[in-house]
Amino acid sequence: MKFETLAIHAGQEPEPNNGAVMTPVYFTSTYKQNGVGKPRQGYEYSRTKNPTRLALEHCLAALEGGSFGLAFASGLAATDTVLRLLNSGDHVLAGNDVYGGTFRLFDKVLRRFNLGFTFADTTDPESVADALTASTRLVWLETPTNPLLRVTDIRAVAEIVHAHPNRPLLAVDNTFATPYLQRPLELGADMVIHSMTKYLGGHSDVVGGAVIVKDKELAERLFFLQNAVGAVLGPMDSFLVLRGIKTLPVRMDRHAENASVLVDFLARHPKVEKLIYPFHESHPQQKIARRQMKNGGGMISFLIKGGRESAVRMVEAAKLFTLAESLGGVESLIEVPAAMTHLSVAGSQLDVDPSLVRLSVGIENQDDLLEDLRQALEYA
Ligand code: P1T
């Protein structure tokens, strides 16, 4: 089946007892057993397995072209569980423009457990090759990145990583693109990670994360960790993400359509110093973006003239664009990454320009969005 059909049906069958078309929310922590050590239909305890979560996990696997999906309590819980595949002394090579919270987890928490991290420019496959060491076990990409929308050639990096004698695992955070735009497993990645809080949920009403893989042995190690660590997604949240995913293709097309109208406006605006959008002609990896993504997505970043002060004035003047962290919902959001989502990278090698403004373009009417940006920029 094609993507749009899978988004609605994958992992979901009408409920066998009463025919309910929507997957029920199984609010249960435990399951009656037929005898000691004889669970019914494989369900024992909901940290290990829950039918609502399982439906979502099967749906995620289908959408990413993987074989196994795992749902977690947040994007960072998913990331943390993946990192627990490693042993003390192992080295991780990560992109130098990852989400601030990912950087904080790697640099401020996991370093204390004797994992080593190098942050490199993954948009240049040569610098990935140069930064691999004898102890590198994991390469962590985000593409497009948050917040600079840098694009990495997943296939080129996969070839380099897999040719290395250690055969490190390649993980791609696909939050910004979603599987509708880009499927990293098909381009050679071993694992896909999502913050489902964003486009997959799509309505800013749930926090969740996911990991999707193809390889059975890797999946078994991750299922063991998911159960052993326990940062799982609850049944209600699983239901909300399942519902959100049904409209993912329609939403993503509209997000991108609206974004391209705003990109044209911002590219010509005198107060915009530099526009960043993966499918714009000025983007340095535009060709790669067009090759590996279906459309340019709904995220736009730009540097505003007048520095931090001007950026703050603009985002505070926006009315329809809500001043808030996060992204990927049907409603448009605006923020200043250096002072908000990426405060945790301040003073590090991942420092973000204080005049950078990030837009999560929603699916409202284009004219209303344009008008709001026009008046907010005037105010800046
Ligand atoms: O917030 P959480 O569900 O834990 O996901 C973390 C995360 C992981 N990866 C990417 C690319 C992300 O953007 C995020 C979360 N980002 C924001 C909250 C933000 O406003 O950028």
Side-chain angles (χ1 to χ4, degrees):
M1 283 187 279
K2 300 284 198 298
F3 191 92
E4 292 80 355
T5 313
L6 291 173
I8 293 167
H9 295 287
Q12 298 153 80
E13 290 286 344
E15 212 279 326
N17 292 332
N18 53 30
V21 170
M22 287 301 124
T23 305
V25 186
Y26 285 92
F27 280 126
T28 189
S29 59
T30 192
Y31 307 84
K32 178 177 160 59
Q33 304 201 5
N34 288 336
V36 175
K38 289 185 192 152
R40 300 178 185 205
Q41 296 171 31
Y43 293 101
E44 287 169 55
Y45 186 60
S46 276
R47 170 164 29 78
T48 320
K49 213 160 126 186
N50 173 282
T52 318
R53 196 178 86 219
L54 195 66
L56 171 63
E57 293 177 330
H58 286 161
C59 183
L60 291 164
L63 295 187
E64 284 287 2
S67 308
F68 305 92
L70 300 94
F72 295 90
S74 68
L76 285 178
T79 304
D80 182 62
T81 304
V82 166
L83 271 284
R84 286 168 197 259
L85 290 165
L86 306 180
N87 294 313
S88 171
D90 286 348
H91 173 255
V92 179
L93 169 58
N96 65 0
D97 183 41
V98 290
Y99 166 57
T102 304
F103 174 76
R104 181 176 55 201
L105 173 64
F106 289 179
D107 190 58
K108 300 287 188 299
V109 180
L110 296 172
R111 268 197 212 278
R112 293 197 285 108
F113 295 87
N114 198 31
L115 292 176
F117 293 91
T118 302
F119 296 92
D121 178 8
T122 58
T123 65
D124 171 19
E126 286 307 309
S127 56
V128 173
D130 292 346
L132 290 169
T133 74
S135 50
T136 307
R137 299 282 169 209
L138 177 69
V139 175
W140 186 276
L141 299 182
E142 213 177 271
T143 181
T145 59
N146 180 3
L148 294 174
L149 305 175
R150 290 180 180 148
V151 172
T152 290
D153 185 336
I154 299 172
R155 196 186 288 282
V157 168
E159 276 166 19
I160 288 169
V161 169
H162 293 152
H164 192 265
N166 285 353
R167 186 46 181 89
L169 291 167
L170 176 61
V172 177
D173 183 331
N174 202 25
T175 299
F176 271 35
T178 83
Y180 181 60
L181 304 193
Q182 166 177 289
R183 278 182 291 284
L185 297 177
E186 290 170 5
L187 299 171
D190 299 296
M191 280 181 272
V192 170
I193 287 80
H194 279 281
S195 168
M196 300 196 294
T197 318
K198 317 302 178 203
Y199 290 107
L200 295 183
H203 299 75
S204 305
D205 52 9
V206 62
V207 173
V211 181
I212 299 104
V213 300
K214 257 190 183 156
D215 182 71
K216 187 156 187 276
E217 191 262 338
L218 180 58
E220 278 166 6
R221 289 166 67 202
L222 286 164
F223 280 121
F224 172 82
L225 288 169
Q226 183 190 37
N227 183 52
V229 177
V232 294
L233 194 68
M236 186 69 214
D237 293 342
S238 298
F239 173 86
L240 286 172
V241 179
L242 264 179
R243 184 167 72 167
I245 285 175
K246 290 179 194 293
T247 55
L248 178 70
V250 183
R251 286 187 284 110
M252 292 312 291
D253 282 340
R254 179 65 81 86
H255 283 298
E257 231 175 80
N258 281 358
S260 75
V261 170
L262 301 189
V263 159
D264 287 345
F265 166 75
L266 291 167
R268 282 179 274 112
H269 199 285
K271 283 193 180 147
V272 173
E273 177 79 42
K274 184 186 175 203
L275 170 82
I276 311 172
Y277 185 69
F279 271 34
H280 193 255
E281 60 195 14
S282 63
H283 194 288
Q285 295 99 32
Q286 191 218 159
K287 266 201 188 139
I288 298 162
R290 286 184 184 272
R291 197 168 65 222
Q292 72 186 16
M293 291 166 68
K294 186 182 170 80
N295 65 41
M299 299 300 295
I300 304 172
S301 292
F302 62 93
L303 295 171
I304 193 166
K305 286 181 186 160
R308 180 185 193 279
E309 206 178 317
S310 187
V312 169
R313 278 170 68 90
M314 188 214 160
V315 301
E316 288 181 354
K319 295 190 176 92
L320 179 54
F321 276 84
T322 303
L323 174 58
E325 302 199 0
S326 202
L327 59 110
V330 290
E331 65 293 311
S332 294
L333 302 180
I334 190 165
E335 66 129 359
V336 179
M340 295 172 67
T341 51
H342 289 69
L343 197 56
S344 56
V345 303
S348 77
Q349 112 194 59
L350 278 72
D351 218 349
V352 178
D353 191 314
S355 69
L356 189 79
V357 174
R358 188 186 80 179
L359 304 179
S360 173
V361 180
I363 62 171
E364 299 95 334
N365 181 279
Q366 293 170 1
D367 296 339
D368 292 336
L369 293 174
L370 266 179
E371 185 45 41
D372 193 38
L373 281 190
R374 189 175 287 126
Q375 68 83 20
L377 278 164
E378 206 154 294
Y379 194 79

